[in-house]
Amino acid sequence: MHKLSLAYLFALVIVGCSAHAAANPEAGDAFYDQGVQALQHMQRLTAEQSGDADELTRHLNNLDANMARAAQLGHPAAALFEAHKLLKQRSKDPAVTLENRRQGCASLDAMARKGFVAAAVLNTQECDTGYKRFEYSSPEHRAVMEALEQSLKRRDPGIAYYPLPIRASQCFAAAPTQMNELTHGQFRAEAEYILGSSQPPQSREAVERNLRWLDLAFQHGCLASLDMRPMLRKQLASYSD
C-alpha cells in the first residue's frame, strides 16, 4: 500500500471535489494507489526538471480523478486529501471560495467525529475560526474541540495510512512552518496537546482537564517548547488557598 509523501496534502492545489458515497475503503485502495503513483511521477519530473507541461497535466489529472474516486468510495486518506484541496482552492468569486471552505471544514469535522485523528488536528488548524479570533468560549471553538476529543475515543479509520503530513506541528516541528510526517501516535499526542492548551482554564475543573490532556501529550512524546503545566499547577493551587 502506497503512502503519500510530504507533498501529499500541501504541495498541490487542484480543482475539483467529490461527494462521499457508502464507505468502502478497501475498494478505494486501488484508486488511491494510482493517485499516489501519479503524484510520485509528478514529483520525479519536477525534481529532474524533465517532462513537458502535457505530461505533468496528464499526471495531475490522474491524481485528481483517482483521489476523487477513492474518496467517493469512502477511502479515508483520499477523503482527507479532498477536504484539504477544497480548503486551499481559490476562486474569483468569493462565494465559491466560501462554499469550498464550508464543504472542506464539514468533511474534516465528519471525519474527526468518526475517529480520524489527523483530520481532527487539521480541522483545528484550518477551521477553528473562534480560536483564531481569540473567542475561546465561542460555539465554533467548542465544536472543534468536541470533535477533536471525540476523535481520540474511537478507532481511527485511517490508521493504515499513517504517517501523514502536517504543517506547523506544535509538538514535533523544529520551526513554526516546518513540514513533518507524524505517526498515528504522534498525531494523538498533537491532539492531546491542543486539547490541553486551547481551552480556557476558567474553573478548577477546567484547569484539571487541561492538565490531564497536557500530561498525556507529554507522556506520549510531545516535545512542545511551550509547556503550560507549571502555570496551570500554580493556578490549581490557588483554588486551595
Side-chain angles (χ1 to χ4, degrees):
M1 181 180 301
H2 290 286
K3 297 194 183 296
L4 293 179
S5 71
L6 291 178
Y8 157 52
L9 288 178
F10 300 101
L12 297 171
V13 178
I14 28 187
V15 177
C17 63
S18 66
H20 292 282
N24 190 1
E26 292 80 10
D29 270 339
F31 293 104
Y32 177 77
D33 287 348
Q34 290 175 49
V36 175
Q37 289 171 8
L39 176 58
Q40 290 171 341
H41 284 306
M42 293 176 65
Q43 292 174 318
R44 179 179 57 77
L45 292 173
T46 301
E48 297 173 355
Q49 297 184 341
S50 60
D52 55 24
D54 288 342
E55 187 175 7
L56 286 169
T57 299
R58 184 172 69 255
H59 290 309
L60 178 60
N61 290 338
N62 286 337
L63 170 64
D64 191 16
N66 282 294
M67 285 298 181
R69 183 60 180 139
Q72 288 170 353
L73 291 168
H75 193 285
L80 185 64
F81 182 93
E82 291 290 294
H84 190 269
K85 181 175 67 179
L86 277 171
L87 289 167
K88 295 307 178 184
Q89 284 177 195
R90 296 294 181 266
S91 170
K92 293 181 180 178
D93 184 347
V96 173
T97 299
L98 187 63
E99 177 60 17
N100 288 341
R101 177 175 178 78
R102 186 197 67 77
Q103 290 184 23
C105 288
S107 181
L108 290 177
D109 180 78
M111 286 187 277
R113 294 177 187 278
K114 291 177 181 177
F116 197 170
V117 180
V121 171
L122 183 59
N123 192 35
T124 68
Q125 291 185 335
E126 297 286 347
C127 302
D128 194 351
T129 55
Y131 186 74
K132 292 176 182 177
R133 296 194 302 266
F134 304 103
E135 296 174 359
Y136 306 125
S137 298
S138 69
E140 296 96 328
H141 180 57
R142 290 202 302 271
V144 170
M145 291 296 103
E146 178 191 356
L148 183 63
E149 184 170 352
Q150 191 167 337
S151 76
L152 297 175
K153 297 177 179 179
R154 307 187 67 174
R155 185 183 185 280
D156 194 325
I159 195 166
Y161 304 99
Y162 291 86
L164 289 169
I166 181 176
R167 185 183 296 279
S169 164
Q170 296 185 73
C171 284
F172 301 102
T177 59
Q178 181 179 336
M179 291 284 296
N180 289 87
E181 283 188 330
L182 303 189
T183 66
H184 179 248
Q186 288 173 324
F187 263 106
R188 288 186 64 91
E190 188 84 17
E192 291 160 350
Y193 181 80
I194 294 169
L195 285 165
S197 60
S198 302
Q199 301 186 86
Q202 295 175 333
S203 66
R204 182 188 186 98
E205 292 75 18
V207 172
E208 291 173 340
R209 172 204 64 203
N210 287 6
L211 276 170
R212 285 195 298 272
W213 282 121
L214 289 173
D215 280 341
L216 284 172
F218 284 99
Q219 287 170 20
H220 294 153
C222 180
L223 302 171
S225 58
L226 178 59
D227 184 352
M228 289 172 285
R229 289 179 297 174
M231 179 192 69
L232 290 171
R233 290 192 181 103
K234 185 179 296 186
Q235 184 175 348
L236 185 62
S238 71
Y239 287 108
S240 302
D241 294 342

